[in-house]
Amino acid sequence: MGLYSHFLVLCLFSVSSVICQVTEFISIDCGGTSNYTDPITGLAWISDNGTIMKYGKSSEAQISNGNMQYQRRRDFPIDSNKYCYTLGTKERRRYLVRATFQYGSLENEDAYPKFDLYLDTTRWSTVVVLEAARVYVKEMIIRAPSSSIDVCICCATTGSPFISSLELRPLNLSMYATDFEDDFFLEVAARVNFGALSKDVIRYPDDPYDRIWDSDLAKRQNYLVGVAPGTARINTSKHVDTRTREYPPVKVMQTAVVGTEGMLSYRLNLEDFPANARAFAYFAEIQDLGGNETRKFKLQQPYSPDYSNAVVNIAENANGSYTLYEPSYMNVSLDFILSFSFVKTRDSTLGPLINAIEISKYLKIEQKTDSKDVTVLNALRSLSAESASANEQGDPCVPAHWEWVNCTSTTPPRITKIALSGKNLKGEIPPEINSLEQLTELWLDGNFLTGSFPAISNLLNLKIVHLENNKLNGPLPKYLGSLPELQELYIQNNFFSGKVPSELLTGKVIFNYEHNPGLHKEAGKKMRLRLIVGISIGTIAGLLVVVIGSLLFLRNLKRKTSHQKNEVQGNSLRASTKPSTAYSVARGWHMMNEGVSYYIPLPELEEATKNFSKKIGRGSFGTVYYGQMKDGKEVAVKIMADSSTHLTQQFVTEVALLSRIHHRNLVPLLGYCEEENQRILVYEYMHNGTLRDHIHGPASQKRLDWLARLQIAEDAAKDVCRT
Ligand SMILES: *[C@@H]1O[C@H](CO)[C@@H](O)[C@H](O)[C@H]1NC(C)=O
Ligand SMILES: *[C@@H]1O[C@H](CO)[C@@H](O)[C@H](O)[C@H]1NC(C)=O
Ligand SMILES: *[C@@H]1O[C@H](CO)[C@@H](O)[C@H](O)[C@H]1NC(C)=O
Ligand SMILES: *[C@@H]1O[C@H](CO)[C@@H](O)[C@H](O)[C@H]1NC(C)=O
Ligand SMILES: *[C@@H]1O[C@H](CO)[C@@H](O)[C@H](O)[C@H]1NC(C)=O
Ligand SMILES: *[C@@H]1O[C@H](CO)[C@@H](O)[C@H](O)[C@H]1NC(C)=O
Ligand SMILES: *[C@@H]1O[C@H](CO)[C@@H](O)[C@H](O)[C@H]1NC(C)=O
Ligand SMILES: *[C@@H]1O[C@H](CO)[C@@H](O)[C@H](O)[C@H]1NC(C)=O
C-alpha cells in the first residue's frame, strides 16, 4: 500500500496521466504460476501463489479463451470459511474492482460451482457457472471506505468456489460519483458499446481506466434482443471529444447505432435486478448533418417524466458534433428485464442515435464488525503469531465468522464468543477486552498468558470465563462476584493471589480456583463452619500423627549429624526425608491462612542475585544462589535441577504447601518463580546458620545444615502431595 501511495506522489508530477493510471493497477492472476506481462495490453499480472493467497490450489482450465489469466484458476476448499484477497486502496478514492470467473472444466457438469462473492461485508453477487467456457465478469465501482478492501469468496452451494482473476483500477477524480456513495456501492450490470466494429470488448489501452465495454455484436441469451427494424451501424475515424465526467474511450464513441426508421429499441436482462440504478447514456453526433437536417429524439421507455419529456438534440446539447453528451440518471428504478427505446420527434429529419450505455445497481454497503471489537481480536491474534487463528481473513463475522469467534446478527455485528483454548498465546491479555460489551463466553485456557486478571468489569453479558492453566497472577478483582450473568469461572492452575471475593463462593457460580498457591478464601460464615469441621477431624487425625511423628522426629534429630556428614561426602540428602514427613503432615493441618508466598518475576530474581553470580550451595535438588531483594532482604534462590521431570502441576502444589508450612526447623519460603521451564524457589537467607549452629561446629557445615533443611522442607511437601 505504501508502494501505491508512492506511485501516487510520482503521478502528481507525471506528464502522462495514462501511464500514471497503469502503475496503480493491481492485476492478480489467481492460480497463476508466475508473474508476467500481458503481450497485448502490456499490463503486469502477478500470480497469487503463496504471498497473496495462502489457501486453495491452482487448477488448470481445460478450455480457456486464450488470455493468460484464464488459463489457470484458484480453487478453494469446500468448507464454511471465507477466503479473501486484501487489496490496498486510498481511502475515499474511487475504484473499479473486477473479479472474473472462468471455470474451464467439463468435470461435474451437473454441479458446476455456485458460490457467493463479497466485497468487505457486502454481498456482491452469487457466481453461478452455467457454461464452462464463459468468462463471468463481476465489476463493482466503489469509493474506498478505508485503506484496504477485502474481496471474499464463500458459501458454496454446489461445486468448489474458485476465482480466475482480480483487478483493481483507480478512477479519476469524480468519475462515477453519486449522491449515495456513503451508503451504496455500484454493481455494474451492463456496459454496452453500440455499433462496435467487432465482437471484441474494448478495454485497456483504449480505455485508460480499463473498463470492459461489451460489443453489441456479441450475442448472448436475453442480451440486446428486440432490436427495432431499420437499426443501422455507423462509425467514424474522426476524433471525438469525450472529456466529460466519465471519460468513455474515444473508440467506443466513434461507433453508434441509428434508427433509420425513427426508432431504436433494445431489451436485455439485468442481473440481480429489480433495483435502483445509476444509468448513463453516451451520445456523440458522428454523422455530418446537412444544413436542413436535424436529429431530435426522446426516451420512450422506460418512461420517466423527468427524462422522457426532454428532447435530446445531441449536437446542440454537446455544443457541437464529435463531442460527448452524457445525460445520466442518478436514481432510476429498473426491472430485471430492461426494455429501452428512443423515438425521433415529429420535427426531426433523422432517427435517434446512441453510442453507449452503462447501468449499475445500487448495492447497500453492509456494516463491518464493530471496530472496537476488531481491535481486540487483532490484539489477541498478535499473542500467537504462528497459529492458524492469526491467519483468518476479512471481517471477523461476515459473511462467515472466524472459527474462533461467534457474533451477534446485529448491525454492526458484535463479538459474543472468543474461543482460544490451547492456542499457544503468550503475553498479557489486552486490556481493550473490556470493550467487548456483548461477550458471553471467553475461553483463553491452556495458554501461557501472564500478567493480572483481565479487566472485564464492562462485560455484563459474560456467562462463561475460562482462564485456567495459564500463568496469570495478582489478585482477583472484587466485581467478579457481581457480574450479573456469570455462570462459570475457571481459574485453576494460575498464580493468582489474595482473597477470593466471597460472592463467588455462594454456589451461584461454578467456580474452580484450585492450585493458585497464593489464593485463599475469605473466612466467611460458611467457610468458617467448614474450617471448624475440617479442623476437628484434622485435629484428631493430626494428634495421632503428631504422636507418631514426634517419636520419629526425635529419633531423626539424633541421627541428623551423621546424615550431614554423609552429605559432605556427596551423598544424597534424601536420606533425611522420611522422618520429617510425618512432622510436616502434622503441621499441614494448621496451615491454611498464613504465610502465603508470592510470585517473583525472573528479572527481579536476576537483579537480586546479580544474574545468579554468587553460588552458595549445590545438591541433587539444584543450585542455590545468594541474593538481596530490593527491600534489602537477603534471600537464597534455588534453581531446581532437572526441571523437565518436574511437572508444573507438582511444582505448583509444592509451592502451595511449602508456603504454608512454618516451623523453626524448616526454612521459610518467600516466593517462587516459574518461567521458561525454570522452576525457582526463594527462601529466607539464614546468616551463617542459626545460633544453635554457631555453637556446634564450623561455619561451612552450618550452611550445609541450612541447605539441607531446604531439601527437607521440599521433600516434606512432595510427600504430602503423594499421600
Ligand atoms: C483526470 O482528471 C483531470 C481533471 O479533470 C484531467 O485533467 C485528467 O486528464 C484526467 N486524467 C485522465 C487519465 O483522464
Ligand atoms: C510476483 O510479484 C509480486 C509483487 O511484485 C511478488 O511479491 C512475488 O514474489 C512475485 N512472484 C514471483 C513468482 O515472482
Ligand atoms: C504455488 O506453486 C507451487 C508450484 O508452482 C505449488 O506447489 C503450491 O501449492 C502453490 N501454492 C499455492 C498457495 O497455490
Ligand atoms: C464504417 O463506416 C464506413 C462508412 O463510413 C463503412 O463503409 C464501413 O463498413 C464501416 N465499418 C464497419 C465495420 O461498420
Ligand atoms: C432512489 O430512489 C428511491 C425511491 O425514490 C429511494 O427509496 C432510494 O433511497 C433512492 N436511492 C437509492 C440509492 O436507492
Ligand atoms: C436537404 O438539403 C439537400 C441539399 O442541400 C437536399 O438534397 C435534401 O433533399 C434536403 N433534405 C430534406 C429532408 O429537405
Ligand atoms: C459552444 O461552442 C462554441 C464554439 O464551438 C463556443 O464559442 C461557445 O462558447 C460554446 N458554448 C458553450 C456554452 O460552451
Ligand atoms: C453462535 O451464536 C449463535 C447465537 O448468536 C448460536 O445460535 C450458535 O450456536 C453459536 N455458534 C457457536 C459455534 O457457538
Side-chain angles (χ1 to χ4, degrees):
M1 237 172 45
L3 192 69
Y4 297 113
S5 47
H6 183 66
F7 276 130
L8 199 70
V9 173
L10 279 180
C11 292
L12 292 177
F13 302 98
S14 157
V15 186
S16 166
S17 49
V18 171
I19 288 169
C20 161
Q21 223 74 43
V22 172
T23 54
E24 289 180 281
F25 282 8
I26 298 176
S27 312
I28 301 172
D29 181 357
C30 307
T33 48
S34 63
N35 295 345
Y36 56 90
T37 301
D38 187 315
I40 302 162
T41 61
L43 291 179
W45 286 85
I46 57 171
S47 152
D48 68 346
N49 185 311
T51 48
I52 299 171
M53 179 48 71
K54 293 192 183 73
Y55 302 95
K57 63 177 210 310
S58 162
S59 308
E60 195 170 352
Q62 290 159 345
I63 332 155
S64 97
N65 77 353
N67 282 10
M68 288 281 273
Q69 64 267 34
Y70 299 127
Q71 283 171 7
R72 300 189 76 85
R73 61 171 197 265
R74 178 164 299 278
D75 288 329
F76 294 103
I78 306 169
D79 56 23
S80 58
N81 294 331
K82 58 176 178 283
Y83 295 94
C84 301
Y85 289 85
T86 301
L87 303 172
T89 53
K90 195 164 180 290
E91 198 175 336
R92 298 183 72 82
R93 186 169 188 192
R94 292 187 191 82
Y95 292 88
L96 180 75
V97 190
R98 180 164 49 223
T100 70
F101 306 87
Q102 189 196 39
Y103 191 50
S105 166
L106 297 172
E107 290 158 37
N108 313 316
E109 206 168 334
D110 43 335
Y112 279 155
K114 181 177 175 187
F115 53 92
D116 286 340
L117 179 65
Y118 275 76
L119 201 158
D120 288 338
T121 51
T122 302
R123 221 189 111 235
W124 176 349
S125 187
T126 298
V127 179
V128 188
V129 175
L130 298 172
E131 299 163 51
R134 177 163 160 199
V135 179
Y136 294 85
V137 177
K138 306 288 176 185
E139 272 190 15
M140 190 90 102
I141 291 166
I142 63 161
R143 191 182 62 181
S146 65
S147 61
S148 70
I149 54 164
D150 292 314
V151 174
C152 303
I153 281 157
C154 80
C155 319
T157 46
T158 57
S160 82
F162 72 96
I163 185 168
S164 301
S165 77
L166 185 61
E167 296 156 78
L168 184 72
R169 311 291 186 230
L171 299 170
N172 199 3
L173 303 175
S174 61
M175 284 171 75
Y176 299 98
T178 79
D179 296 344
F180 309 103
E181 57 195 353
D182 284 339
D183 303 311
F184 292 87
F185 292 141
L186 281 176
E187 181 195 350
V188 179
R191 192 186 287 120
V192 184
N193 172 25
F194 287 105
L197 299 179
S198 76
K199 284 183 183 174
D200 296 337
V201 299
I202 287 179
R203 59 183 296 181
Y204 186 85
D206 293 313
D207 185 340
Y209 304 100
D210 197 23
R211 287 162 289 191
I212 292 180
W213 299 82
D214 286 327
S215 163
D216 64 342
L217 290 173
K219 293 297 176 206
R220 289 207 299 268
Q221 220 181 356
N222 302 320
Y223 178 73
L224 302 177
V225 292
V227 182
T231 301
R233 314 173 71 78
I234 58 168
N235 69 73
T236 180
S237 52
K238 285 191 187 166
H239 181 74
V240 179
D241 184 355
T242 63
R243 287 172 298 168
T244 312
R245 285 177 41 152
E246 270 59 51
Y247 298 90
V250 171
K251 199 167 172 183
V252 166
M253 296 308 294
Q254 283 174 327
T255 65
V257 286
V258 290
T260 57
E261 292 179 16
M263 182 165 177
L264 272 180
S265 75
Y266 288 93
R267 196 171 71 239
L268 65 158
N269 286 359
L270 294 175
E271 213 178 303
D272 298 336
F273 275 66
N276 292 323
R278 175 116 169 85
F280 299 89
Y282 299 98
F283 300 109
E285 185 56 77
I286 55 169
Q287 278 187 325
D288 298 310
L289 305 190
N292 57 358
E293 285 179 320
T294 55
R295 190 192 305 282
K296 293 197 269 182
F297 55 93
K298 285 182 178 181
L299 175 68
Q300 187 184 51
Q301 250 192 313
Y303 182 78
S304 150
D306 292 346
Y307 299 109
S308 299
N309 295 328
V311 175
V312 181
N313 180 332
I314 302 171
E316 208 174 278
N317 293 133
N319 194 22
S321 294
Y322 303 97
T323 307
L324 170 65
Y325 169 53
E326 184 202 305
S328 75
Y329 309 86
M330 185 61 88
N331 181 7
V332 51
S333 173
L334 296 179
D335 281 329
F336 171 63
I337 298 172
L338 170 67
S339 290
F340 72 91
S341 56
F342 293 99
V343 287
K344 77 175 192 66
T345 58
R346 260 192 220 132
D347 59 340
S348 172
T349 62
L350 297 172
L353 173 153
I354 190 162
N355 309 66
I357 58 164
E358 224 180 334
I359 295 164
S360 300
K361 170 187 163 171
Y362 281 113
L363 200 61
K364 180 109 180 65
I365 300 172
E366 296 299 334
Q367 284 195 53
K368 298 186 203 176
T369 300
D370 189 285
S371 62
K372 284 184 303 188
D373 291 14
V374 176
T375 306
V376 178
L377 298 187
N378 285 337
L380 283 169
R381 294 215 277 191
S382 69
L383 300 181
S384 121
E386 76 272 28
S387 98
S389 53
N391 286 328
E392 295 215 56
Q393 307 162 297
D395 187 86
C397 296
V398 183
H401 59 74
W402 292 348
E403 264 176 4
W404 54 282
V405 304
N406 200 358
C407 311
T408 63
S409 45
T410 54
T411 10
R414 302 289 313 263
I415 302 299
T416 59
K417 178 177 177 181
I418 290 176
L420 286 171
S421 304
K423 288 284 195 274
N424 206 17
L425 306 186
K426 295 192 180 85
E428 297 191 7
I429 300 172
E432 297 89 352
I433 203 159
N434 207 6
S435 57
L436 298 172
E437 283 103 355
Q438 297 301 319
L439 197 69
T440 58
E441 293 184 41
L442 179 62
W443 298 76
L444 294 175
D445 51 295
N447 287 298
F448 301 92
L449 295 168
T450 51
S452 54
F453 197 96
I456 55 171
S457 55
N458 294 338
L459 311 189
L460 302 181
N461 295 299
L462 211 47
K463 289 194 173 81
I464 296 172
V465 178
H466 281 261
L467 297 174
E468 68 266 28
N469 304 326
N470 276 297
K471 298 176 170 192
L472 299 165
N473 61 38
L476 299 182
K478 282 230 157 42
Y479 59 74
L480 278 183
S482 48
L483 285 176
E485 300 293 328
L486 194 63
Q487 294 168 0
E488 209 173 295
L489 176 60
Y490 281 65
I491 57 161
Q492 66 268 30
N493 297 324
N494 276 292
F495 302 116
F496 290 119
S497 57
K499 287 179 179 172
V500 173
S502 54
E503 296 92 333
L504 290 174
L505 300 168
T506 58
K508 201 188 102 204
V509 177
I510 302 170
F511 179 44
N512 190 336
Y513 61 103
E514 288 169 356
H515 308 307
N516 280 288
L519 198 59
H520 58 98
K521 295 180 190 180
E522 238 162 331
K525 265 185 216 155
K526 230 178 186 174
M527 272 304 303
R528 209 168 284 150
L529 192 71
R530 273 193 214 150
L531 260 183
I532 290 165
V533 175
I535 288 172
S536 313
I537 297 169
T539 315
I540 296 164
L543 270 176
L544 282 173
V545 180
V546 168
V547 172
I548 302 163
S550 306
L551 289 173
L552 290 170
F553 184 70
L554 281 173
R555 218 170 53 177
N556 174 48
L557 269 183
K558 277 185 212 155
R559 278 205 209 141
K560 207 164 193 177
T561 345
S562 61
H563 279 306
Q564 280 150 10
K565 274 175 192 154
N566 286 348
E567 166 58 19
V568 175
Q569 286 150 20
N571 284 353
S572 167
L573 278 166
R574 280 174 200 277
S576 57
T577 302
K578 273 278 147 22
S580 64
T581 305
Y583 186 77
S584 307
V585 172
R587 290 291 305 169
W589 296 107
H590 305 272
M591 67 195 181
M592 288 322 271
N593 286 336
E594 35 178 62
V596 173
S597 35
Y598 61 100
Y599 189 80
I600 306 173
L602 188 58
E604 219 169 283
L605 290 178
E606 282 167 350
E607 200 190 319
T609 58
K610 299 206 169 68
N611 272 326
F612 301 100
S613 53
K614 191 172 169 192
K615 199 185 286 179
I616 55 172
R618 174 189 245 149
S620 65
F621 51 81
T623 313
V624 183
Y625 298 89
Y626 171 81
Q628 197 164 18
M629 302 302 287
K630 275 207 199 85
D631 62 4
K633 189 167 207 147
E634 288 176 295
V635 292
V637 179
K638 183 167 82 169
I639 301 184
M640 295 184 54
D642 202 14
S643 62
S644 59
T645 60
H646 282 80
L647 297 171
T648 306
Q649 184 52 54
Q650 200 180 332
F651 175 74
V652 167
T653 317
E654 279 174 40
V655 171
L657 281 161
L658 283 175
S659 66
R660 291 158 184 165
I661 297 170
H662 284 266
H663 186 267
R664 61 193 159 83
N665 275 6
L666 297 180
V667 184
L669 179 73
L670 297 178
Y672 61 94
C673 169
E674 190 187 26
E675 261 168 59
E676 288 153 10
N677 287 330
Q678 279 204 334
R679 272 126 219 181
I680 302 174
L681 294 171
V682 183
Y683 297 91
E684 201 174 299
Y685 180 74
M686 299 256 177
H687 251 284
N688 293 329
T690 59
L691 184 64
R692 207 180 128 259
D693 297 327
H694 262 296
I695 303 165
H696 304 271
S700 65
Q701 194 183 319
K702 281 169 220 152
R703 193 156 63 209
L704 259 174
D705 179 37
W706 174 74
L707 285 171
R709 275 188 278 134
L710 286 187
Q711 185 62 29
I712 293 167
E714 207 176 287
D715 286 340
K718 266 185 225 158
D719 282 349
V720 172
C721 295
R722 283 187 204 111
T723 53

